[in-house]
Amino acid sequence: MSKEFDVYDPGKWIYGDEEEFLFLSSPIFNPDSKRNFTQSDIAILLNELAARKKTKFTNDQEFRGFVNKVLVELSDISMNELEKIENEKLGFVSPEMSGVIISGYELTKNQLNVFKNMKLTEDEKRIVVETYYYGRKNGLATYQIKQDLFMKIKNHDIDFLIDIMRAETKAEEKHVLQKYS
């Protein structure tokens, strides 16, 4: 790291180089460029933010507060983005939502496709959603929800319906779809 660079001294921002910038001994990941911020990146960003807000600092403490606030926000964004990337690698990605809401619950795209492919009526869709979420909310075991649903709708694969409703990640949905195909 450039010894002359000091994030708290705008006069020394010109010494920022392409070395990784560390905040509290940790790099800050830039989700836009998919790499860690450099000293130069941080200096440019802080300069742009201060200029855009037309911020005038009356003392060093105000300026340090501004810099720290920006760096903390960048660090939070960085950690969230890195966690999201790691979750994607592990398959813990939320399913894509369809925008279709039944009884107050939004269906995933895969749930909606399953409902369409099974040719469920609107009433049957509502019964599946309400039965599943009512059972979960009231602590019923999966077999109890299946029994309840079996009593309410006929001629459909109840196991498949419950499994696709239970899937909480893309990977789980994919597994369910492969299992029943």
Side-chain angles (χ1 to χ4, degrees):
M1 186 182 280
S2 172
K3 293 183 186 209
E4 296 85 19
F5 178 76
D6 181 357
V7 74
Y8 298 107
D9 184 352
K12 294 190 177 185
W13 288 353
I14 60 170
Y15 298 114
D17 55 27
E18 294 306 309
E19 286 186 54
E20 199 171 70
F21 176 78
L22 299 177
F23 177 62
L24 301 176
S25 302
S26 297
I28 299 176
F29 181 74
N30 183 345
D32 295 332
S33 67
K34 303 293 185 211
R35 63 176 178 76
N36 292 334
F37 279 99
T38 64
Q39 295 172 356
S40 179
D41 294 334
I42 293 295
I44 291 168
L45 180 64
L46 288 171
N47 191 40
E48 287 176 359
L49 288 173
R52 193 178 311 147
K53 293 184 178 190
K54 297 180 177 132
T55 308
K56 302 281 189 239
F57 302 102
T58 58
N59 59 45
D60 188 49
Q61 187 175 3
E62 280 182 14
F63 182 72
R64 284 181 168 275
F66 163 75
V67 170
N68 283 333
K69 182 179 179 189
V70 170
L71 293 177
V72 166
E73 287 178 21
L74 287 176
S75 187
D76 287 346
I77 291 168
S78 171
M79 289 188 332
N80 290 338
E81 186 66 22
L82 290 172
E83 182 178 340
K84 180 179 164 189
I85 289 169
E86 187 62 27
N87 284 341
E88 286 175 2
K89 287 179 186 174
L90 298 172
F92 298 127
V93 179
S94 296
E96 293 180 65
M97 303 310 284
S98 66
V100 174
I101 297 173
I102 296 177
S103 297
Y105 297 97
E106 184 175 7
L107 297 178
T108 68
K109 287 184 177 182
N110 283 325
Q111 289 169 342
L112 184 61
N113 286 334
V114 165
F115 286 6
K116 285 180 182 176
N117 291 337
M118 293 180 78
K119 297 182 171 95
L120 293 174
T121 66
E122 292 302 313
D123 192 44
E124 289 171 328
K125 291 176 192 176
R126 182 188 52 74
I127 290 170
V128 169
V129 170
E130 288 177 358
T131 302
Y132 177 77
Y133 286 110
Y134 173 82
R136 285 291 175 227
K137 186 169 76 173
N138 291 300
L140 298 179
T142 300
Y143 78 90
Q144 292 170 308
I145 297 171
K146 286 180 183 179
Q147 287 174 340
D148 193 17
L149 194 55
F150 182 76
M151 301 301 287
K152 294 178 180 177
I153 63 172
K154 305 289 184 213
N155 303 323
H156 293 292
D157 187 344
I158 303 301
D159 291 326
F160 184 34
L161 287 170
I162 294 299
D163 284 352
I164 199 67
M165 292 300 294
R166 287 181 60 202
E168 293 182 359
T169 65
K170 279 186 180 180
E172 289 173 350
E173 281 189 338
K174 183 178 178 181
H175 175 73
V176 169
L177 295 171
Q178 289 172 341
K179 178 180 170 183
Y180 288 94
S181 61

